[in-house]
Amino acid sequence: RTLALLAALVALILVGCGGGDQLSKDEYIKELNAAGKALSTSFGSLGQGIGNTKDTAALGAKFDDAAKVLRDASKKIADINPPDDAKDANKKLADGLNAMADSFEEIGKETKGSSTDPTKLLPKINALTTTEGIKQVTAAINDLKAKGYNVSN
């Protein structure tokens, strides 16, 4: 359930293209929504894998993979040229995703060489929904919505 929330939040903001000409508001919304669907699929399968994993090393690998997805998304968003009124929110999104990747990597590192029961990591996994990264992502999404960017959930 925690990962589903993370996936839904992240899915709102992954942008599939970078750089180039400044996008119009409609183009920006279209990119957010289209790319969000792809990320939602990626994180959905990741969430299922994490939920079914009893092997700590395999769990760590899944968090490392998620961190890579988040880091790639951060770079793509940082490279996009959004409308002027979305520039600050776009930067918040990129920074928030990067911070989320850091949090996912921390969990991945904790599992390295560990024979710990994966359920002992649950408090840290659940805490992912309250990290600074997720707060930045949420704030950016709220900023966009307040400016009339109709991003889908």
Side-chain angles (χ1 to χ4, degrees):
R1 200 160 58 178
T2 298
L3 289 171
L5 173 62
L6 285 172
L9 287 171
V10 173
L12 287 172
I13 45 72
L14 177 66
V15 178
C17 68
D21 294 334
Q22 185 175 42
L23 297 177
S24 70
K25 184 175 183 173
D26 289 340
E27 290 168 332
Y28 188 62
I29 291 169
K30 184 178 177 182
E31 290 296 329
L32 289 175
N33 291 331
K37 287 179 186 176
L39 186 64
S40 182
T41 300
S42 173
F43 262 78
S45 63
L46 173 71
Q48 288 177 342
I50 289 171
N52 296 329
T53 297
K54 300 202 183 332
D55 174 1
T56 304
L59 182 64
K62 290 185 185 302
F63 274 93
D64 289 340
D65 290 345
K68 288 176 190 162
V69 169
L70 291 165
R71 194 86 62 210
D72 288 345
S74 174
K75 288 177 186 170
K76 286 179 183 176
I77 288 171
D79 289 344
I80 199 167
N81 190 0
D84 289 338
D85 67 342
K87 285 186 185 286
D88 289 342
N90 198 70
K91 181 172 177 3
K92 263 189 225 175
L93 289 174
D95 292 347
L97 286 172
N98 200 47
M100 286 175 64
D102 292 342
S103 298
F104 274 64
E105 284 174 351
E106 275 183 44
I107 292 174
K109 284 178 188 172
E110 280 201 36
T111 65
K112 302 283 189 262
S114 172
S115 60
T116 305
D117 177 358
T119 59
K120 292 184 179 177
L121 295 171
L122 285 177
K124 290 186 182 213
I125 293 169
N126 288 335
L128 288 172
T129 60
T130 59
T131 63
E132 282 306 309
I134 200 73
K135 288 176 185 176
Q136 283 180 292
V137 168
T138 302
I141 291 168
N142 289 339
D143 287 352
L144 288 170
K145 286 184 175 184
K147 292 176 180 171
Y149 287 84
N150 188 21
V151 290
S152 62
N153 292 327

